């Protein structure tokens, strides 16, 4: 696959971090002594953290400000990103290969910047990325193509030679609808969407270790 630029999602694509996120909303609400409603995980799946904070305010009547909710959620996450979250198999080697091929790379993530930076620095891969774009800074989740368009503008390669790497169906739908080439990356959290992802993406990989693209 010939490319000049690559836009990487973080969680579930480069980092094996989705198990943390799957229980995050419920754990946060239970700490507040609130009972999560059925389907909460599915509802939060497409949201950025600011969107999730707004959902907790409207759906659960939290009186805390959005900023306070975000701080409390980030406190739950911070140590995990700083000390524990691992890379997925083959990621470091693949990024090194792309760097040797002079492919320009950036991160487009729904995760907050400080969490992303701490994990990338600890895992020794921050140097590969010219920039990190976050949903909260772009002010939209991945149900909107703005984060991919901003990344594309910053990388400066033709769209026909720019590839987005994503694991989540809603993000893949957004990127493909916006005209991007997309590689689907398997993650257990999106296993139920595998067939649909395979239809939408240019390639679908189970591991960077096994992929020669």
């Amino acid at each position: 696959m010939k490319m000049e630029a690559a836009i990487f999602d973080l969680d579930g694509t480069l980092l094996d971090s989705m198990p943390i996120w799957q229980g995050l909303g419920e754990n946060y609400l239970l700490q507040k002594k609130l009972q999560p409603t059925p389907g909460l995980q599915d509802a939060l799946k497409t949201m950025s953290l600011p969107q999730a904070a707004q959902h907790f305010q409207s759906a659960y009547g939290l009186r805390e400000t959005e900023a306070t909710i975000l701080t409390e959620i980030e406190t739950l996450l911070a140590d995990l990103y700083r000390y524990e979250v691992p890379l997925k198999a083959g990621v470091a080697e693949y990024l090194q290969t792309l760097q040797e091929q002079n492919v320009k790379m950036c991160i487009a993530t729904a995760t907050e910047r400080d969490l992303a930076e701490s994990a990338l620095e600890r895992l020794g891969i921050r140097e590969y990325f010219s920039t990190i774009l976050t949903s909260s800074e772009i002010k939209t989740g991945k149900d909107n193509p703005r984060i991919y368009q901003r990344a594309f503008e910053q990388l400066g390669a033709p769209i026909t030679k720019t590839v987005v790497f994503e694991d989540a169906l809603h993000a893949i739908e957004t990127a493909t609808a916006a005209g991007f080439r997309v590689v689907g990356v398997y993650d257990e959290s999106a296993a139920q969407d595998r067939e649909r992802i395979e239809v939408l993406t240019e390639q679908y990989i189970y591991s960077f270790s096994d992929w020669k693209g």
Side-chain angles (χ1 to χ4, degrees), residues 5 23 30 57 65 79 115 135 153 155 183 193:
L30 289 171
Q57 288 173 321
T65 65
D79 283 349
L115 300 177
S135 291
E153 291 166 3
L155 291 173
V183 169
D193 299 321

Side-chain angles (χ1 to χ4, degrees), residues 60-157:
Y60 293 90
L62 289 184
R63 295 184 179 180
E64 291 87 344
T65 65
E66 180 181 319
T68 297
I69 294 171
L70 288 174
T71 298
E72 292 172 343
I73 292 173
E74 286 181 33
T75 298
L76 291 177
L77 292 168
D79 283 349
L80 295 169
Y81 275 80
R82 189 171 294 115
Y83 301 116
E84 296 185 26
V85 171
L87 284 177
K88 298 183 83 170
V91 165
E93 296 81 1
Y94 183 65
L95 296 176
Q96 177 64 33
T97 297
L98 291 188
Q99 185 182 66
E100 291 169 356
Q101 295 172 351
N102 296 315
V103 174
K104 295 176 283 188
M105 294 176 271
C106 76
I107 298 284
T109 180
T111 298
E112 294 299 293
R113 174 172 294 277
D114 59 338
L115 300 177
E117 293 272 12
S118 64
L120 292 169
E121 292 285 357
R122 171 176 57 84
L123 294 164
I125 62 170
R126 176 64 183 88
E127 65 183 281
Y128 293 116
F129 305 104
S130 59
T131 190
I132 297 172
L133 301 176
T134 71
S135 291
S136 61
E137 293 168 350
I138 301 297
K139 302 189 184 308
T140 184
K142 287 187 175 178
D143 53 342
N144 184 301
R146 188 181 306 160
I147 194 167
Y148 303 114
Q149 292 163 344
R150 189 74 59 83
F152 167 66
E153 291 166 3
Q154 292 196 14
L155 291 173

